[in-house]
Amino acid sequence: MTVQAVIEQEKLAQFEAKIENEIKIEPNDWMPEDYRKHLIRQISQHAHSEVIGMQPEGNWITRAPSLRSKKILLAKIQDEGGHGLYLYAAAETLGVSREQFISWLHEGKAKYASVFNYPTLNWADIGAIGWLVDGAAITNQVSLQRTSYGPYSRAMVRICKEESFHQRQGYEIMWRMMEGTKDQQRMAQDALNRWWWPSLMMFGPHDTDSPRSEKAIQWKIKRESNDRLREKFINKTIPQAELIGLKVPDPELRLNEDGTYQHGDINWDEFYAVINGNGPCNKQRLQHHIKAHQDGAWVRETAAIHQQKMNNHGKH
Amino acid sequence: MEHKEKFYLQIADNALILSHRLSEYCSNAPFLEEDLANTNVALDLIGLAESVYTELASQKGTGTADDYAYRRTEEQFFNCTMTELDYPDFAHLMVRQFFMDNFHFHFFSELVHSKDEFLSALALKSIKEVTYHLRRSSEWIIRMGDGTEEAHQRMIAAIERMWSHHEELFTPSEADLEMLNNNVAPNLSRIKELCMQKVQEIFYFAKLAVPETIPNAYQGKKGIHTEQMGHILSEMQFLPGKYPEAVW
Amino acid sequence: MESTNDQQGELYEVFIQSKPGQSFKHAGSVHAFDKNMALQNARDTYTRRNEGTGIWVVPSKEITALSLEEQAYFVEPSTDKIYRHPTFYNLPEGVKNM
């Protein structure tokens, strides 16, 4: 064994000891290349999801039916942008620039949460997104606060703190609508029908079909398995639906003796179709992001050039 | 309609319609930080409009803030027409914002002295927000005016479009005059002087020319709007309009 | 850094003071094209919930940090200087205000 290999082995042992002892890994620390790659992929995917996630809700800002709901929705979407920003910053500590992350997204080399490839068709969809999509995301994010990479963990702590109102605002919209007119109730149920299954899919494939998960859990990047998190989400969400008179669109849903739920089969063909770019809004969402980015190119350029001019003049 | 109510509405409607234009830009900004900043301005403006509508409803003892936003027709809105214009690019968005921030800054700075207690308190609160807005938009004007040649050309086009609506801000309505006489409203010709000084200062740093004054051709304060206004309202008021019985 | 031709401005580190008199604490990072913009972006990103009043921004590249190798001999030696910590000392029972 070469000296180099011995040193590498020593570093790996130190790294694994830190993981074992719940000591966070920091940007300057040595880390296995696969760990770094996994983090780059997961954190940037997470960041893209927050940013692309601004679009389906943004679709209703100008049509929010009250000043209160308009303010809340706008603040919520702004939070999502902020969360994308925290996450890009966390990912940048791994040595990849935000420019690069964005170009990977535009080239189709980076993914974002598939759930945002579904359309928001009525106002209750805004409720359903807050309640279900944010609810599912929070279930995952709470668990990720304990992730082993320091910058990612700190971003998740901040995000979880800020997201606590998101799910409530969504549920409140649904509740108000279920207390309202027949039309409102119809819209609310319609939204649940369309968002229920995509929300369950957000947790990813079953553990048995999730090849990358095992390593991620061993390194404590992920702290709980897809199926475990999905179960948690279902168990807390179904009673919430029933409380306000909504019917979960799963004819095979069963209540177990221990109070947990057994859900029907998830349509994985649909899941993979959407992931592979064939959902209802994939092209639209990506195109929107590309267009905003391209339309903004001259603005970024003039800001950079102006700063150069000021530096050359030795002022500002 | 009473002059006082109309004067209140002029203030609130400017804020509401401008916030509508800003909020539709959400997720379209040149970069993420700018998206957040833009949304903050929109949120401040919605808050401003809402507090005025709420006060009006309470003074009249009937209706709600939402009734003002969602249940009036086009000719019952008294915002200046600059707030309702669409925008082909970030230069238009920001030039309009600069003119409106500038107007708001000087208007609220004077309104602090209003005899009307609600308005003077409102002005005191708004001036803090607007000071920040104006600083931000002023800096963008300079970055775009004195940056790349492309940005400079876009600024010239944006200024030309918005400038024809600039004079309307300072053209007094009957409500403005009546409220001025009652020591409630500031003097708009004074506000115009202050605004023009700031435009000259910022345009100087931005290497942009201040255009000649264009006589006002618009009457938003009389409820006569551009063709864009109807589209804004039909979008904004869609749900309460379609489901009048519903509570959201 | 891997990079493309596009630009997102420079990276700045943001420090927030939650109340007057307290230390500034690292809150996170923002991108900006100049110092003024960095301050404004920091305000719009990290003080949306009244998190603080004071803000510092520092270009990330201007921060000097210990390298991993340096950590071993820079920081660790002080851990054996326990006499710098108040709990090191034995005091007679009943002594107050110390």
Side-chain angles (χ1 to χ4, degrees):
Chain A
M1 195 181 274
T2 65
V3 177
Q4 192 57 36
V6 173
I7 293 173
E8 287 291 303
Q9 219 170 39
E10 171 74 5
K11 283 178 176 170
L12 182 63
Q14 279 178 2
F15 169 84
E16 283 174 345
K18 277 188 187 168
I19 297 279
E20 174 66 26
N21 295 314
E22 300 284 334
I23 297 171
K24 301 286 182 225
I25 306 299
E26 294 297 337
N28 283 339
D29 294 350
W30 184 89
M31 61 187 84
E33 206 41 39
D34 280 351
Y35 178 82
R36 200 179 78 95
K37 278 192 184 142
H38 191 104
L39 281 173
I40 288 174
R41 205 192 58 244
Q42 181 170 331
I43 304 174
S44 66
Q45 182 172 326
H46 200 158
H48 296 323
S49 301
E50 297 279 358
V51 172
I52 297 290
M54 296 166 77
Q55 293 179 35
E57 290 177 288
N59 183 35
W60 280 89
I61 293 177
T62 56
R63 290 178 293 171
S66 68
L67 292 169
R68 179 176 181 273
S69 63
K70 193 189 283 284
K71 280 193 303 189
I72 295 172
L73 181 59
L74 200 51
K76 177 174 183 286
I77 298 173
Q78 186 197 39
D79 273 351
E80 275 146 22
H83 298 168
L85 197 154
Y86 305 158
L87 287 162
Y88 281 128
E92 280 180 282
T93 62
L94 294 159
V96 183
S97 66
R98 194 197 290 178
E99 291 90 323
Q100 181 66 68
F101 285 125
I102 291 174
S103 71
W104 281 338
L105 174 69
H106 291 175
E107 290 159 17
K109 290 181 189 161
K111 303 235 181 276
Y112 54 86
S114 277
V115 74
F116 299 122
N117 291 317
Y118 291 88
T120 50
L121 302 178
N122 79 55
W123 173 248
D125 287 38
I126 299 307
I129 288 185
W131 173 40
L132 301 173
V133 177
D134 287 308
I138 289 166
T139 308
N140 192 24
Q141 286 165 351
V142 163
S143 158
L144 280 174
Q145 291 180 94
R146 296 185 294 123
T147 189
S148 59
Y149 187 58
Y152 192 25
S153 162
R154 290 192 284 277
M156 289 323 306
V157 169
R158 187 175 272 273
I159 288 171
C160 284
K161 207 158 73 183
E162 296 187 353
E163 286 235 336
S164 52
F165 91 83
H166 291 186
Q167 199 188 10
R168 285 174 177 226
Q169 72 89 30
Y171 190 61
E172 188 195 75
I173 289 175
M174 296 303 259
W175 177 49
R176 280 185 184 219
M177 292 182 79
M178 289 307 288
E179 297 276 294
T181 63
K182 283 268 177 296
D183 280 323
Q184 287 176 295
Q185 292 170 4
R186 172 182 54 75
M187 285 184 233
Q189 183 62 52
D190 172 53
L192 175 61
N193 292 349
R194 283 179 290 106
W195 289 94
W196 175 254
W197 290 107
S199 302
L200 294 195
M201 292 178 199
M202 280 176 72
F203 295 96
H206 288 307
D207 298 345
T208 44
D209 305 319
S210 182
R212 290 200 193 102
S213 274
E214 203 177 319
K215 196 82 180 161
I217 286 190
Q218 187 195 322
W219 281 332
K220 298 185 180 171
I221 295 175
K222 276 181 76 159
R223 301 304 307 247
E224 288 177 275
S225 78
N226 295 352
D227 284 330
R228 175 78 195 102
L229 289 166
R230 184 164 25 234
E231 260 171 51
K232 275 191 179 177
F233 171 73
I234 290 175
N235 291 340
K236 67 183 179 191
T237 306
I238 290 176
Q240 293 167 354
E242 286 170 350
L243 183 69
I244 56 175
L246 283 165
K247 194 170 164 8
V248 172
D250 179 356
E252 292 165 56
L253 189 72
R254 280 202 327 266
L255 183 60
N256 296 326
E257 277 178 14
D258 62 357
T260 61
Y261 289 89
Q262 181 69 45
H263 63 81
D265 287 340
I266 293 173
N267 182 348
W268 294 112
D269 290 341
E270 177 181 322
F271 173 77
Y272 287 110
V274 180
I275 278 200
N276 291 325
N278 297 317
C281 300
N282 295 58
K283 289 182 184 65
Q284 176 190 336
R285 300 287 184 241
L286 197 57
Q287 202 46 50
H288 178 116
H289 195 274
I290 292 173
K291 182 174 187 306
H293 188 72
Q294 288 174 349
D295 287 351
W298 70 267
V299 181
R300 297 190 298 275
E301 196 189 350
T302 193
I305 295 291
H306 175 73
Q307 171 62 3
Q308 273 177 25
K309 284 186 182 180
M310 291 297 110
N311 284 343
N312 293 342
H313 294 149
K315 56 173 187 170
H316 207 57
Chain B
M1 183 182 289
E2 256 192 81
H3 286 313
K4 185 171 135 189
E5 184 183 3
K6 230 192 113 193
F7 182 69
Y8 272 50
L9 287 175
Q10 287 174 189
I11 297 171
D13 293 346
N14 272 343
L16 181 70
I17 301 303
L18 185 57
S19 80
H20 180 94
R21 284 306 194 193
L22 286 173
S23 63
E24 72 188 358
Y25 194 64
C26 186
S27 84
N28 289 288
F31 53 100
L32 205 43
E33 282 81 355
E34 195 47 43
D35 218 303
L36 269 69
N38 186 63
T39 310
N40 266 345
V41 180
L43 280 167
D44 287 344
L45 290 167
I46 298 177
L48 170 63
E50 190 181 22
S51 66
V52 177
Y53 295 146
T54 304
E55 173 66 16
L56 270 180
S58 126
Q59 285 185 11
K60 294 184 83 176
T62 156
T64 63
D66 281 347
D67 291 339
Y68 280 102
Y70 291 95
R71 305 203 190 260
R72 279 183 298 155
T73 54
E74 214 179 312
E75 71 280 7
Q76 293 168 323
F77 274 82
F78 302 114
N79 54 289
C80 291
T81 52
M82 188 193 288
T83 57
E84 59 203 51
L85 302 179
D86 64 0
Y87 43 94
D89 64 10
F90 186 75
H92 282 73
L93 182 88
M94 207 41 95
V95 166
R96 183 238 314 269
Q97 195 58 39
F98 170 66
F99 288 150
M100 289 307 299
D101 290 344
N102 192 24
F103 173 74
H104 277 149
F105 175 82
H106 292 106
F107 181 81
F108 287 125
S109 297
E110 295 289 312
L111 194 65
V112 168
H113 308 298
S114 173
K115 215 181 70 183
D116 182 304
E117 276 176 29
F118 170 76
L119 290 179
S120 102
L122 176 85
L124 207 58
K125 179 179 183 292
S126 302
I127 196 75
K128 291 183 197 154
E129 296 170 350
V130 170
T131 303
Y132 177 74
H133 300 168
L134 178 60
R135 176 178 160 172
R136 173 176 166 264
S137 55
S138 299
E139 284 175 6
W140 268 115
I141 297 301
I142 296 171
R143 283 186 200 107
M144 290 190 280
D146 185 24
T148 62
E149 180 55 27
E150 177 183 1
H152 189 82
Q153 291 306 322
R154 284 175 183 268
M155 284 300 281
I156 291 173
I159 291 166
E160 191 184 336
R161 169 100 190 279
M162 296 298 163
W163 193 251
S164 56
H165 295 261
H166 195 242
E167 199 59 21
E168 186 191 6
L169 295 170
F170 313 105
T171 307
S173 64
E174 279 179 39
D176 286 323
L177 295 172
E178 182 69 19
M179 290 298 104
L180 175 63
N181 285 336
N182 294 337
N183 297 318
V184 168
N187 185 334
L188 287 180
S189 52
R190 172 72 187 139
I191 305 287
K192 181 181 171 183
E193 261 173 53
L194 296 167
C195 284
M196 287 308 297
Q197 278 170 21
K198 181 74 177 177
V199 170
Q200 265 150 12
E201 177 201 328
I202 297 302
F203 278 25
Y204 170 78
F205 287 119
K207 303 200 163 95
L208 291 162
V210 180
E212 295 288 314
T213 300
I214 298 173
N216 178 38
Y218 299 96
Q219 303 183 75
K221 292 184 196 180
K222 285 189 181 164
I224 301 170
H225 292 275
T226 66
E227 289 179 350
Q228 313 230 7
M229 186 65 177
H231 294 282
I232 291 179
L233 293 188
S234 60
E235 190 171 335
M236 185 168 81
Q237 299 176 337
F238 153 67
L239 279 172
K242 189 166 169 73
Y243 304 101
E245 304 304 316
V247 177
W248 307 90
Chain C
M1 286 246 167
E2 295 183 49
S3 192
T4 61
N5 288 329
D6 181 37
Q7 43 203 346
Q8 292 277 321
E10 292 208 30
L11 200 57
Y12 285 78
E13 298 305 316
V14 179
F15 298 83
I16 304 281
Q17 185 187 39
S18 55
K19 281 183 202 140
Q22 294 197 339
S23 315
F24 283 71
K25 277 172 75 177
H26 186 238
S29 326
V30 288
H31 283 248
F33 289 87
D34 52 59
K35 287 184 275 188
N36 287 338
M37 194 195 286
L39 264 183
Q40 289 165 25
N41 291 348
R43 176 233 190 229
D44 285 319
T45 304
Y46 291 102
T47 66
R48 301 198 303 282
R49 288 173 169 77
N50 303 318
E51 285 93 338
T53 43
I55 303 177
W56 289 347
V57 290
V58 183
S60 307
K61 62 174 194 230
E62 300 294 337
I63 290 183
T64 310
L66 285 182
S67 71
L68 190 60
E69 289 70 30
E70 286 166 331
Q71 276 179 22
Y73 59 87
F74 252 76
V75 189
E76 281 179 15
S78 65
T79 57
D80 59 6
K81 296 192 180 69
I82 50 174
Y83 46 81
R84 285 190 188 280
H85 299 272
T87 48
F88 175 71
Y89 298 91
N90 293 316
L91 291 173
E93 274 197 32
V95 67
K96 287 188 178 143
N97 299 322
M98 187 170 281

